[in-house]
Amino acid sequence: MDYFIQQLINGITLGGLYALIALGYTMVYGVIQLINFAHGEIFATGGYVGVILLSFFTGLGYMETHPILCLAAAFVLTMGYCAFFAVGVEKVAYKPLRKQSRLAALLSALGMSIFLSNGLMLTQGVYDKAYPGELFQGGVDFGNITIGYLQMMIVGMTIFLLFGLNILVFKTKIGMAMRATAQDKVMSSLVSISSNRIISLTFAIGAGLAAAAGIMVGLYYGSVRYDMGFLPGIKAFAAAVLGGIGNITGAMLGGLIIGMVEIFGAGYISGQYKDVFAFIILISVLYFKPTGIMGENIDDTRV
């Protein structure tokens, strides 16, 4: 039972990270029906910007005197940078093809993913970059169960971001405009909602969440790599499909399920096949329930 609870804690931690990345996929698809395959590279970019900022603060000596303040600044600056970066990607790769076929936009997304991945390789190198190792050392022991301080930070930060996103989407005028644009772009434009601004905002919000996940993954595993966005991106996409692509709550639930399945599969079956379980779930969902667990139809009740 102790081993089960420990794996459960690990699964919640990893699932929360997948949920943050999956939200970018599901939000963009909900608004413009596009799978942004470059989203994984935005996540990797966030990891690199985070390690650059934290290393800079370490060199100045601020990490020793004000570690929490430095970490908060790294999160805010990284999320802001990746938000603007994603808006630029949207303007270059997706906006010119918005009135073209979905296949053209899909090919553009794949091309942008390869371009950004190679850009990270050329600018940051092929070797791993290590995160500062002195952050959040240790944890709390409950018998044979250990909850690390870093795990607490990741879960707490994830809950805070998910809760904030829910308030933004379902309790504010901006969220109503996003849902209206997703439902009917023509009708929403008739009530003075700029679909271009809403689409850019959607890309920015999803990229900010992915950037936060990139920092937390770097802290959790100790380093980042230029191609780190590929597998987590695919797993997050599987999580979005599992929960119901276009459904925010479904993406959160799907991320937790994917994280749980990966951790329990690695713990009880084999760690060599941990990356296979997400693809098994993806294929199974597409075969048995293509709309996902919480998939919904776009109707008049959505807004």
Side-chain angles (χ1 to χ4, degrees):
M1 182 57 68
D2 290 342
Y3 183 72
F4 175 83
I5 296 175
Q6 185 68 65
Q7 294 297 85
L8 181 65
I9 295 170
N10 297 336
I12 291 174
T13 304
L14 184 62
L17 296 174
Y18 287 154
L20 287 177
I21 307 171
L23 285 169
Y25 285 106
T26 204
M27 289 176 66
V28 170
Y29 183 86
V31 174
I32 59 174
Q33 285 74 55
L34 168 71
I35 302 298
N36 179 20
F37 283 111
H39 190 62
E41 280 60 47
I42 300 293
F43 155 76
T45 300
Y48 269 103
V49 175
V51 73
I52 291 171
L53 289 172
L54 290 176
S55 299
F56 174 72
F57 293 145
T58 301
L60 294 177
Y62 294 155
M63 288 297 294
E64 296 181 0
T65 57
H66 304 88
I68 303 300
L69 185 61
C70 290
L71 186 63
F75 269 105
V76 172
L77 293 174
T78 301
M79 293 173 71
Y81 173 84
C82 287
F84 281 105
F85 185 63
V87 171
V89 170
E90 187 267 333
K91 298 295 185 185
V92 172
Y94 303 135
K95 186 177 180 180
L97 301 175
R98 199 170 292 165
K99 296 182 180 180
Q100 304 300 321
S101 66
R102 291 187 182 181
L103 180 60
L106 178 63
L107 292 175
S108 180
L110 291 172
M112 182 57 66
S113 173
I114 297 171
F115 175 79
L116 293 179
S117 179
N118 281 272
L120 283 174
M121 180 184 67
L122 292 173
T123 57
Q124 303 300 324
V126 298
Y127 300 106
D128 295 3
K129 285 187 178 293
Y131 262 71
E134 64 275 7
L135 290 173
F136 299 102
Q137 293 294 321
V140 179
D141 295 326
F142 298 95
N144 295 324
I145 301 169
T146 300
I147 304 178
Y149 294 129
L150 180 57
Q151 288 180 311
M152 294 181 188
M153 187 279 292
I154 290 175
V155 172
M157 188 70 179
T158 301
I159 293 173
F160 172 76
L161 291 173
L162 296 181
F163 183 71
L165 178 66
N166 268 284
I167 292 177
L168 175 67
V169 173
F170 297 108
K171 301 295 183 181
T172 66
K173 290 185 178 180
I174 293 177
M176 183 179 291
M178 292 173 64
R179 290 180 284 127
T181 303
Q183 181 176 323
D184 194 319
K185 294 180 181 59
V186 176
M187 291 301 297
S188 63
S189 65
L190 295 178
V191 292
S192 302
I193 296 176
S194 174
S195 61
N196 289 331
R197 291 182 180 178
I198 293 300
I199 291 171
S200 296
L201 179 63
T202 303
F203 272 86
I205 294 173
L209 296 175
I215 294 178
M216 289 188 280
V217 166
L219 291 170
Y220 194 56
Y221 291 105
S223 64
V224 290
R225 183 178 169 85
Y226 76 95
D227 58 353
M228 64 177 280
F230 177 72
L231 276 178
I234 295 297
K235 293 175 184 177
F237 173 66
V241 173
L242 173 61
I245 192 75
N247 189 303
I248 291 177
T249 306
M252 300 177 189
L253 180 61
L256 288 174
I257 293 175
I258 292 292
M260 293 285 191
V261 169
E262 180 176 333
I263 291 296
F264 280 110
Y268 286 98
I269 300 176
S270 174
Q272 295 180 346
Y273 300 103
K274 66 183 183 66
D275 295 330
V276 176
F277 300 121
F279 297 103
I280 293 175
I281 292 177
L282 176 60
I283 294 171
S284 301
V285 170
L286 291 175
Y287 186 80
F288 293 105
K289 191 174 175 55
T291 58
I293 297 174
M294 301 185 67
E296 62 180 17
N297 294 322
I298 299 177
D299 54 30
D300 292 338
T301 64
R302 181 160 182 170
V303 175

